[in-house]
């Protein structure tokens, strides 16, 4: 069910799990589009030579996936901020899930805080953060 207004949510609501496309093909395409076509984003073996476990998903793409997840949940939401902490690399070609939970609702101004996590297949948190969105009443 898509959220349309503030009255549609409650404190503690879980957002639907979002599965981003973290394939090497998607990562490479994005990296080239933004001018970050270095091997750490486009080639697993070259990234390993840099000391990484494999090609990384660029952080700004991970943030974009967080925003996409929020808009899938609440298409009319105005995203005011997304604050992220990158704990460990999001590695291309590994499966990841994004989860969120409503942690604060301000009825006066329509602002909602959402805690967000990006986890790999092992359940390890790679990215976490908080988003503030505004919903109509």
């Amino acid at each position: 069910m898509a959220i349309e207004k503030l009255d549609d949510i409650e404190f503690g609501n879980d957002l639907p799990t979002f599965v981003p496309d973290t394939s090497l093909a998607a990562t490479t395409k994005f990296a080239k589009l933004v001018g970050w076509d270095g091997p750490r984003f486009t080639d697993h073996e070259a990234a390993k030579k840099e000391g990484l476990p494999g090609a990384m998903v660029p952080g700004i793409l991970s943030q974009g996936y967080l925003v996409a997840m929020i808009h899938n949940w609440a298409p009319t939401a105005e995203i005011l901020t997304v604050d992220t902490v990158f704990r460990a690399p999001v590695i291309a070609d590994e499966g990841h899930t994004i989860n969120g939970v409503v942690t604060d609702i301000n009825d006066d101004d329509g602002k909602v805080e959402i805690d967000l996590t990006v986890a790999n297949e092992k359940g390890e948190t790679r990215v976490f953060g908080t988003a503030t969105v505004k919903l109509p009443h």
Side-chain angles (χ1 to χ4, degrees):
M1 170 179 125
I3 300 301
E4 295 182 20
K5 58 188 184 317
L6 194 64
D7 294 339
D8 294 340
I9 62 170
E10 294 179 8
F11 177 84
N13 281 158
D14 289 319
L15 280 66
T17 298
F18 182 80
V19 179
D21 181 357
T22 54
S23 67
L24 185 61
T27 298
T28 299
K29 182 177 181 178
F30 180 84
K32 288 182 178 184
L33 285 171
V34 298
W36 291 5
D37 55 347
R40 67 179 35 206
F41 302 116
T42 61
D43 184 290
H44 286 301
E45 293 309 311
K48 288 177 183 175
K49 289 179 184 173
E50 292 186 31
L52 298 164
M56 297 188 311
V57 174
I60 57 173
L61 180 55
S62 292
Q63 288 175 316
Y65 286 139
L66 295 173
V67 170
M69 182 252 220
I70 293 167
H71 275 149
N72 279 342
W73 170 69
T76 61
E78 175 187 356
I79 298 176
L80 303 173
T81 63
V82 177
D83 183 28
T84 50
V85 175
F86 297 92
R87 292 182 66 182
V90 174
I91 301 301
D93 287 334
E94 291 183 1
H96 291 83
T97 55
I98 301 175
N99 290 293
V101 61
V102 174
T103 56
D104 191 35
I105 301 170
N106 186 323
D107 291 320
D108 295 332
D109 63 11
K111 290 182 183 176
V112 177
E113 283 195 11
I114 304 165
D115 282 355
L116 303 162
T117 58
V118 178
N120 65 12
E121 294 169 318
K122 297 175 189 172
E124 300 166 332
T125 298
R126 312 311 272 176
V127 179
F128 66 91
T130 303
T132 302
V133 305
K134 187 171 182 177
L135 288 165
H137 281 76

